[in-house]
Amino acid sequence: MKVVSSLPTAPRALPLIGHVIPLLRDPLAFLNSLPALGELVRIRLGPLSVVVICDPELTRQALLDDRVFDKGGPLYDRLREVIGDGVVSCRHQEHRRLRRLSQPAFHPSRLPDYARAMTACVQETTEAWRDGQFLDVPAEMMATSARIITATLFSDALPAAAHGRLAADVTTVVKSLYQRMFLIPPLDRLPTPGNRAHLAARARLHGTVENLIARRRADGADYGDLLSALMAAHDPEDDRPGMTGAEISDTIVSFVLAGIESTAATLSSALDLVARHPEVERRLHAEVDSVLDGAPATYADLPRLPLSERVITETLRLRPPGWFFTRVVTTDTRLGGHLLPAGTSVAYSPYLIHHRPDLHADPEAFAPDRWDPAHPRPQRHAFLPFATGARKCVGDSFSMVEATLALATIAARWRLEHVPGRRGRLAPSVTLEVRDLRMSAHSRRP
């Protein structure tokens, strides 16, 4: 049996800092270079050695065995500083209970009500645009997804003026988390501008959520939103009454962080990619014109918007917001013929899997029709935007509905064109997002 020390190590590691430079300068290219070295490849994050899983089948095995490959490693160690131990980040021993308590909030029967709030928020965004206006697309999508999350989580109990502050705090936290993954103590506690901004945004984010929860407890009413569902949740398999206050707060912060940033990143990338591919844009406009005739998309329209959904699916393949994750091995185990001792940090990358040419034909191409049911689909373990297994994203259907409704509603009313010289750039942080994307809005309706 081979041991972890026999694994190939990625080149270009420097003393003390390891592979920090390629992971900061061009992490996507660095990750895509690893499969040529083997199924499992070691990289170094400063003094820490991390095993990157490059093979889709081994990735699937690790994700399905969440008891052995538990949430942990350098990414989740940093994430827990922000989102605590809610359903997204908790250890295996607590996850089953928190998952059962969270799942009813995302039951399919709730989606139509959530979708009404989603449609209203996107409509509010698009009606404020003016013909010929230059848009900061990532900022517009962040503001829109912040409104959607507050409307579905808190029944819009957050004052309108606070939406921008919430979106800004989420942006600050997310952008700094990736860099903080490479900081070793005590560097992460130095009073640098970046550290101070991160800590202040984190404190405000938690303060916002905790104040909303306190007001809701004092009110006692059921608003039919995610927060009400979490507060009312009861686990029939457990004698405990439900989530503790800390668990509710941590889970809500997790949903706020993921729901705002990931959806905004997906929509910004989708609008960017559609504008870069005129034939896809033409067909998308034909679909929404036929189904919506200029009206905003509703939950009932989704079955008649297959291309809109495929555009979102292909965007998630080409530019998955969650592009890099870590786990920690809890007991000595074998993976791909190698022995991984307990305590080993491992990583997997949906971006790496999604860009393997042996799994996806012409993987760098934006081709929504690869998801047409009439075409052969990639193997299930070759597409992991929401992970798989017991730790699969609890809000995957929620996210797909939200992004599809938003894209179709925007396309029904507007055509977006790139501003010369401001076509955006991919910028990996904790999420994979497009930055510096400026587009001009052109009305498709009188």
Side-chain angles (χ1 to χ4, degrees):
M1 176 63 61
K2 300 174 183 177
V3 295
V4 68
S5 60
S6 67
L7 292 175
T9 300
R12 294 191 289 162
L14 296 176
L16 299 179
I17 64 172
H19 295 96
V20 168
I21 290 179
L23 281 167
L24 289 174
R25 283 184 176 173
D26 195 352
L28 303 180
F30 178 69
L31 284 174
N32 279 349
S33 72
L34 299 182
L37 302 176
E39 296 177 330
L40 302 176
V41 179
R42 285 195 304 172
I43 64 173
R44 283 181 41 224
L45 305 183
L48 179 66
S49 180
V50 177
V51 176
V52 180
I53 309 173
C54 301
D55 177 77
E57 177 57 29
L58 297 184
T59 300
R60 186 186 73 86
Q61 290 179 31
L63 292 178
L64 292 179
D65 192 356
D66 62 308
R67 183 186 299 273
V68 173
F69 295 89
D70 202 358
K71 288 286 182 83
L75 176 61
Y76 279 97
D77 290 345
R78 286 302 185 186
L79 274 174
R80 285 193 183 100
E81 296 174 356
V82 179
I83 63 177
D85 287 306
V87 67
V88 173
S89 55
C90 65
R91 301 289 186 180
H92 173 271
Q93 60 265 28
E94 282 298 316
H95 177 256
R96 295 297 192 274
R97 182 180 71 88
L98 291 180
R99 179 84 178 202
R100 287 193 300 268
L101 290 167
S102 301
Q103 197 73 56
F106 293 96
H107 192 274
S109 63
R110 287 182 171 267
L111 285 176
D113 287 337
Y114 295 155
R116 278 190 283 274
M118 295 169 183
T119 297
C121 292
V122 179
Q123 186 176 12
E124 180 182 349
T125 294
T126 58
E127 287 183 349
W129 294 349
R130 296 293 175 261
D131 196 29
Q133 180 180 353
F134 292 102
L135 303 174
D136 179 339
V137 173
E140 292 285 330
M141 295 304 101
M142 279 291 293
T144 302
S145 58
R147 283 196 292 269
I148 290 172
I149 284 298
T150 56
T152 52
L153 280 178
F154 315 120
S155 297
D156 221 11
L158 191 66
H163 290 168
R165 180 72 268 169
L166 179 66
D169 287 339
V170 168
T171 298
T172 298
V173 168
V174 168
K175 283 179 170 52
S176 56
L177 270 175
Y178 184 65
Q179 284 75 22
R180 287 177 67 81
M181 190 169 65
F182 303 108
L183 292 179
I184 59 175
L187 298 179
D188 58 340
R189 295 189 295 271
L190 294 177
T192 64
N195 285 342
R196 289 201 303 270
H198 172 87
L199 294 174
R202 192 171 83 189
R204 282 193 301 268
L205 181 60
H206 276 271
T208 298
V209 169
E210 287 162 9
N211 287 337
L212 286 167
I213 292 174
R215 291 207 300 270
R216 184 63 59 86
R217 285 195 186 282
D219 185 311
D222 184 346
Y223 287 83
D225 54 20
L226 278 165
L227 179 55
S228 292
L230 292 177
M231 295 178 70
H234 176 72
D235 185 0
E237 299 183 27
D238 198 299
D239 291 335
R240 283 176 284 184
M243 286 191 186
T244 66
E247 287 169 342
I248 292 174
S249 178
D250 290 345
T251 297
I252 289 293
V253 171
S254 301
F255 292 164
V256 167
L257 210 66
I260 293 178
E261 182 70 21
S262 296
T263 301
T266 299
L267 286 171
S268 296
S269 279
L271 295 170
D272 176 36
L273 290 165
V274 166
R276 291 172 184 265
H277 297 82
E279 179 57 20
V280 173
E281 180 185 60
R282 182 193 66 76
R283 292 173 54 208
L284 177 64
H285 287 163
E287 176 177 272
V288 297
D289 288 350
S290 172
V291 175
L292 305 177
D293 192 25
T298 68
Y299 188 77
D301 296 320
L302 290 174
R304 298 183 294 154
L305 297 169
L307 179 58
S308 300
E309 182 180 2
R310 292 201 300 271
V311 167
I312 296 299
T313 302
E314 178 67 349
T315 300
L316 291 171
R317 183 199 67 81
L318 195 62
R319 299 178 181 178
W323 63 282
F324 182 83
F325 297 97
T326 61
R327 296 286 192 270
V328 65
V329 176
T330 59
T331 186
D332 293 355
T333 191
R334 300 175 182 180
L335 187 67
H338 292 267
L339 176 63
L340 303 182
T344 300
S345 291
V346 300
Y348 78 95
S349 170
Y351 184 92
L352 183 155
I353 299 298
H354 294 178
H355 286 253
R356 285 187 58 137
D358 57 330
L359 301 175
H360 302 275
D362 197 5
E364 304 305 318
F366 177 64
D369 285 341
R370 73 172 82 233
W371 304 103
D372 190 319
H375 297 170
R377 290 206 172 193
Q379 302 171 33
R380 282 199 309 170
H381 59 271
F383 183 62
L384 299 168
F386 301 109
T388 192
R391 303 303 293 253
K392 185 179 181 182
C393 175
V394 68
D396 56 345
S397 297
F398 179 101
S399 298
M400 283 298 301
V401 168
E402 178 185 0
T404 304
L405 289 176
L407 176 67
T409 298
I410 292 170
R413 177 69 191 277
W414 299 96
R415 180 172 56 85
L416 301 187
E417 293 183 353
H418 289 102
V419 175
R422 306 297 294 275
R423 290 171 63 90
R425 57 185 177 85
L426 279 182
S429 58
V430 169
T431 57
L432 180 59
E433 57 188 357
V434 59
R435 295 182 191 168
D436 198 31
L437 176 63
R438 301 295 186 272
M439 305 183 81
S440 55
H442 301 278
S443 177
R444 302 187 60 241
R445 299 286 164 183

